[in-house]
Amino acid sequence: MLVLLATAMAAGNVMLGVFSAVQEQAKAELGFSDFQMSLLNGLAVSIPLAVLAVPVGLLVDRAVRVRLLLWTAVAWTAGTLLTAFAHSLPLLFAARMLGGVGANISTTIAISLAADLSLPDRRGRSLLLLTIGKYAGTGLAFALGGWLLGLFLDRGGLFGLAAWRSIHLMLGLASIGIVAALAFMKEPPRLETKAGPRAPLGEIFRELGSYSRFLVPLFLGQIGVLMADAAAAIWAAPVLSRSYGVTPQEFAGWMGAVIFGAGILGALVGGIAADAGHRTGRRGGILLGAIFASIIAMPAALFPLAPDVPTFALALFVLLFGGTITGLVTATALAVILPNELRGLSVGVFLAVGGLVAFGIAPTLVTVVSAWLGGEAMLDRAMAIVGLIVSLIGCAGFVIAWRNAPEPVR
């Protein structure tokens, strides 16, 4: 079941991330600006999170989670297919919203399901598998997107569609198989309930508020890291094309390997660090891995200013490696420290706020800073400035959360 969850996470991230790999081709065909592309990559993805993450989080704690996961897969499949045929900004915006609903909302559901498939002291390794699936999907989105782009440019698209549209059509049709597999998943029993999944909402929110001194800085820390990673994932490809003269066919393979490698290694280190920190028995010990990872990744936020492509790739790897560790440690901390009836809600609140800020603001903020610096040619410098500032904020948030961490639920 964990393998199927990881596969679903991978599929959702492929569907959502492949647009970033081919966005320069979409921009050229549609005549969009960097600002308009930032809306498609950022605000369109974050609006569903802001609106639906908390309601879905509540449903995760109360409803049949496997059915919710099925509907998210239907959403990302529909969004991918619609992207293949959208010819206007509003329609493409709607397609990206559907992709965002499926790929990002499914995270809340998958974390809750994975937490009930393992004991607390092994939960980091269970979530590790989900993290591997997520980054495998993101890496595959670039590698597969670049390979298919070259294939369709050479041989022509499907049914007369442009290459980037043909890619979305092919992947959308393939995603139907994932939907069929999820339809047969069975709901696992819930573990470690405290107030109970049917407790009144007022009681649930009051209990969540009692953890605010820990959750607010924890969310601030992870949002800072997410902003740096989101800006990198969305704008790395355009920077490579504009500043280094590299085409998607040339960089998609190694960029996919960088993203996947950072995800695999970061997941392994993050899962081990989270479980080791939990086993120390010290309050907040589970967050030590996130603090160290955020410190290591901070200077790597300057990767857009690298003197050459190999240095660019190495710095990007370090940035995403640190982000993967902090994300896994944060998810494990929520699954270990909070009682069962608060996990879905807490992840939902985090996705609502984090998604709106990281995906809704970070990509557009880069374009605003770029315009302030002198225009679209300044995209690399704008990325470096935004990435470094939000990384500093993220590290500070993790330190405060560590100091305010409560005792984990036993």
Side-chain angles (χ1 to χ4, degrees):
M1 191 167 179
L2 282 171
V3 172
L4 182 55
L5 287 174
T7 302
M9 294 284 287
N13 280 277
V14 168
M15 304 303 146
L16 182 63
V18 73
F19 184 78
S20 295
V22 299
Q23 63 177 304
E24 289 289 273
Q25 287 66 39
K27 178 187 176 186
E29 179 191 323
L30 298 169
F32 289 168
S33 66
D34 275 352
F35 178 76
Q36 289 173 307
M37 295 303 293
S38 75
L39 296 180
L40 294 174
N41 282 306
L43 196 61
V45 176
S46 65
I47 286 178
L49 283 174
V51 174
L52 297 176
V54 172
V56 170
L58 289 170
L59 285 174
V60 165
D61 292 332
R62 293 166 170 259
V64 180
R65 293 164 290 182
V66 293
R67 291 292 171 261
L68 295 175
L69 186 62
L70 175 64
W71 283 111
T72 62
V74 171
W76 79 54
T77 302
T80 305
L81 292 172
L82 182 58
T83 300
F85 299 99
H87 284 84
S88 65
L89 181 62
L91 193 57
L92 194 53
F93 194 91
R96 296 291 291 162
M97 285 180 66
L98 282 171
V101 168
N104 291 322
I105 295 296
S106 62
T107 301
T108 307
I109 308 166
I111 289 175
S112 178
L113 287 168
D116 283 333
L117 291 171
S118 59
L119 297 175
D121 61 350
R122 297 182 180 179
R123 215 155 267 167
R125 278 162 286 183
S126 295
L127 297 183
L128 179 154
L129 192 59
L130 298 188
T131 304
I132 290 175
K134 172 186 174 181
Y135 278 91
T138 305
L140 188 60
F142 279 91
L144 188 60
W147 178 74
L148 288 174
L149 181 65
L151 180 66
F152 287 131
L153 285 175
D154 291 339
R155 303 183 182 181
L158 299 175
F159 308 111
L161 295 173
W164 69 274
R165 296 182 182 278
S166 299
I167 293 171
H168 284 84
L169 176 59
M170 175 178 287
L171 293 178
L173 293 174
S175 181
I176 295 175
I178 300 295
V179 173
L182 292 176
F184 294 96
M185 183 178 287
K186 294 183 179 180
E187 180 80 1
R190 296 178 183 269
L191 306 177
E192 305 150 348
T193 57
K194 184 178 178 182
R198 298 295 179 181
L201 287 180
E203 181 180 342
I204 295 295
F205 277 104
R206 281 193 298 272
E207 187 178 0
L208 184 66
S210 67
Y211 290 91
S212 60
R213 293 182 67 251
F214 164 68
L215 290 177
V216 171
L218 179 66
F219 287 1
L220 179 66
Q222 188 57 22
I223 287 170
V225 173
L226 274 177
M227 289 184 73
D229 288 356
I234 290 169
W235 292 120
V239 167
L240 282 169
S241 296
R242 301 176 195 178
S243 301
Y244 298 88
V246 187
T247 66
Q249 298 94 309
E250 294 172 328
F251 68 71
W254 66 255
M255 182 175 285
V258 164
I259 295 172
F260 181 62
I264 294 293
L265 185 59
L268 290 171
V269 174
I272 294 171
D275 287 343
H278 177 62
R279 285 196 297 269
T280 63
R282 297 180 180 178
R283 192 177 69 173
I286 197 171
L287 295 180
L288 291 176
I291 295 174
F292 288 121
S294 63
I295 293 173
I296 293 171
M298 198 181 305
L302 299 175
F303 77 93
L305 305 180
D308 50 49
V309 173
T311 308
F312 180 103
L314 178 61
L316 178 61
F317 176 89
V318 174
L319 179 71
L320 298 178
F321 170 71
T324 307
I325 294 174
T326 63
L328 187 57
V329 170
T330 298
T332 307
L334 294 176
V336 170
I337 293 177
L338 299 183
N340 193 299
E341 67 272 10
L342 296 182
R343 290 171 190 161
L345 177 58
S346 63
V347 174
V349 171
F350 167 68
L351 287 177
V353 178
L356 183 61
V357 175
F359 297 101
I361 296 178
T364 303
L365 180 60
V366 170
T367 66
V368 172
V369 174
S370 176
W372 177 69
L373 292 175
E376 293 186 357
M378 298 289 110
L379 183 64
D380 52 354
R381 299 182 185 180
M383 283 183 63
I385 292 172
V386 172
L388 185 59
I389 292 174
V390 298
S391 295
L392 284 166
I393 294 173
C395 184
F398 285 125
V399 171
I400 298 172
W402 165 65
R403 294 174 63 89
N404 295 341
E407 294 291 340
V409 175
R410 300 295 182 183

